[in-house]
Amino acid sequence: MKKFFYFFAVIFSLCYADATAQQICYSVKQIWSNGSHCAFTSIERFKGRYYCTFREGATHIFDSQGNAEGKVRILASDDGEKWESVAFIGKAGFDLRDPKLSVTPEGKLMVIIGGSIYRNRKLEGCVPHVVFSEDGKTFSEPQPIELDKKMHTGHDWLWRITWYDGVGYGVSYSKASNNEIVTHLMKTNDGIKYTLVKSFNHDGYPNEATVRFLPDGRMAIMLRRDQGDCKAMWGLSHAPYTDWEWRKMEFRLGGPDFIVLDDDHLVAGGRTNYVPSASKTTIFTGKNSGRFEEVITLPSGGDTSYPGFLIVGNELWVSYYSTHETKNASIYLAKIPLDLFKR
């Protein structure tokens, strides 16, 4: 049976005032909350409908019995107001995490998913999976992807795929034999088999990364780091994406995502920890150079972040999760005028 969640009132209606005292108002709604811990979002448009996906589990990782078997929830909406559950996907023995949506060149809705394997609360392996749908209603069973054998370790995570000129690109991070984390730019033609484009050698425990393309065809990567100064990395490269220029960003980001608006404007977001005990989901605007400045801190707190971005008309839609209102995380959707990011 399908479940419907419909909120008749906007939970938050907020206004931003810039230096000229002009106001731009935006809205935030809670679109899913059922008592479970719902986290790590992605949002996409497919065949005229909107889709939002996230992990659903007892807590951030383990249930009361010490098991980790999170599942993937997929919501759909005709208008971004009323949302229905169209899929709830699990796999025995796996904690399915961080589902990320994309649309393949063949016109399928694709979900790339991290698959963690725990034994006695110890992480023993990570196997990325993928799910497809041709109509947004029926979804395939999760199947393991096939990573290039040269970097496949059994502790692999392919975090997000972006399609460009018929090819899908994403960054995989893996645990090497010396327990260091290594990252690899991968590409795919079918969403299942992935080959190596370029390996990177970043310090600071690099992991989650988002790939996007600039209007001039350059690839940009925003990469999370969790050790040392923990500042994120920003990389740029021309095709064939084997020669990279990297710079350190000015802040730390958890669950990073960004979207390209035009030649001069980017929007990024993720978890920020300006107050270490009070995490927030923050939205930034920036330039292709990798310099960003904070624009909005969304209503959020505690276990929060992992935004997804989608341009709809003259608005930027931002999906994210937060525990500022509920004990376990709920899913939110912000709708923000694009004018706010083009000043």
Side-chain angles (χ1 to χ4, degrees):
M1 179 182 294
K2 294 179 178 178
K3 296 182 180 180
F4 293 85
F5 277 61
Y6 185 41
F7 296 85
F8 291 91
V10 175
I11 296 179
F12 299 101
S13 183
L14 305 168
C15 292
Y16 168 92
D18 66 10
T20 65
Q22 292 179 306
Q23 284 192 338
I24 293 182
C25 296
Y26 65 97
S27 65
V28 180
K29 278 189 175 182
Q30 185 188 96
I31 64 170
W32 190 264
S33 183
N34 63 359
S36 298
H37 187 276
C38 302
F40 321 122
T41 77
S42 177
I43 190 168
E44 185 59 89
R45 180 169 36 212
F46 177 69
K47 293 187 181 297
R49 303 192 81 193
Y50 303 103
Y51 290 81
C52 181
T53 186
F54 46 90
R55 174 192 182 269
E56 190 170 306
T59 68
H60 192 97
I61 300 179
F62 301 106
D63 62 20
S64 60
Q65 305 301 313
N67 299 316
E69 290 193 3
K71 297 178 174 61
V72 170
R73 176 80 68 181
I74 303 175
L75 309 181
S77 173
D78 292 323
D79 56 8
E81 298 294 321
K82 183 179 180 180
W83 293 84
E84 61 173 324
S85 176
V86 294
F88 192 47
I89 301 167
K91 185 173 182 178
F94 285 87
D95 182 20
L96 299 183
R97 306 179 68 85
D98 289 344
K100 298 293 182 285
L101 297 164
S102 65
V103 179
T104 71
E106 293 77 22
K108 296 180 181 180
L109 186 62
M110 174 176 136
V111 193
I112 195 79
I113 307 167
S116 299
I117 303 169
Y118 286 91
R119 298 288 185 270
N120 299 318
R121 292 182 177 266
K122 180 181 178 181
L123 181 62
E124 294 194 346
C126 296
V127 181
H129 286 66
V130 67
V131 166
F132 297 96
S133 176
E134 295 186 358
D135 58 8
K137 299 176 183 178
T138 302
F139 292 80
S140 64
E141 293 296 319
Q143 66 180 103
I145 66 169
E146 299 176 24
L147 283 174
D148 193 316
K149 292 182 179 179
K150 291 190 293 293
M151 69 288 307
H152 173 70
T153 69
H155 287 264
D156 309 291
W157 206 304
L158 184 63
W159 205 62
R160 174 183 272 119
I161 296 299
T162 296
W163 296 88
Y164 184 73
D165 283 347
V167 180
Y169 296 89
V171 173
S172 171
Y173 62 96
S174 308
K175 183 185 292 186
S177 57
N178 60 359
N179 286 327
E180 293 292 321
I181 298 299
V182 293
T183 53
H184 312 280
L185 176 63
M186 311 296 293
K187 67 178 182 179
T188 182
N189 293 316
D190 60 6
I192 301 172
K193 297 179 180 179
Y194 293 80
T195 57
L196 177 67
V197 178
K198 174 72 174 181
S199 294
F200 304 118
N201 187 28
H202 295 295
D203 63 0
Y205 201 94
N207 50 96
E208 301 161 350
T210 291
V211 172
R212 302 294 184 203
F213 288 86
L214 305 180
D216 63 7
R218 282 182 296 170
M219 181 187 292
I221 295 178
M222 183 178 287
L223 175 70
R224 173 178 176 175
R225 295 167 65 246
D226 281 342
Q227 291 181 359
D229 61 20
C230 296
K231 291 181 179 179
M233 299 294 295
W234 176 258
L236 293 173
S237 178
H238 289 280
Y241 316 121
T242 55
D243 186 16
W244 283 82
E245 296 180 2
W246 289 94
R247 67 173 298 165
K248 191 172 291 187
M249 301 177 71
E250 297 181 272
F251 47 87
R252 179 179 185 177
L253 274 179
D257 192 14
F258 70 100
I259 192 169
V260 179
L261 301 186
D262 54 39
D263 287 333
D264 297 316
H265 300 91
L266 307 176
V267 178
R271 180 190 297 122
T272 55
N273 300 85
Y274 299 126
V275 178
S277 62
S279 301
K280 297 291 183 181
T281 293
T282 303
I283 308 299
F284 301 82
T285 186
K287 303 292 185 181
N288 296 347
S289 64
R291 293 193 178 276
F292 289 82
E293 60 182 45
E294 181 179 337
V295 177
I296 300 173
T297 296
L298 295 173
S300 55
D303 192 358
T304 184
S305 185
Y306 288 67
F309 294 130
L310 182 66
I311 296 173
V312 180
N314 63 356
E315 292 182 324
L316 177 69
W317 289 13
V318 183
S319 63
Y320 68 104
Y321 80 95
S322 179
T323 55
H324 68 288
E325 290 187 311
T326 52
K327 179 180 179 180
N328 281 324
S330 301
I331 304 300
Y332 294 84
L333 180 64
K335 297 180 180 180
I336 309 169
L338 287 174
D339 289 344
L340 181 57
F341 306 106
K342 296 183 176 183
R343 300 190 161 206

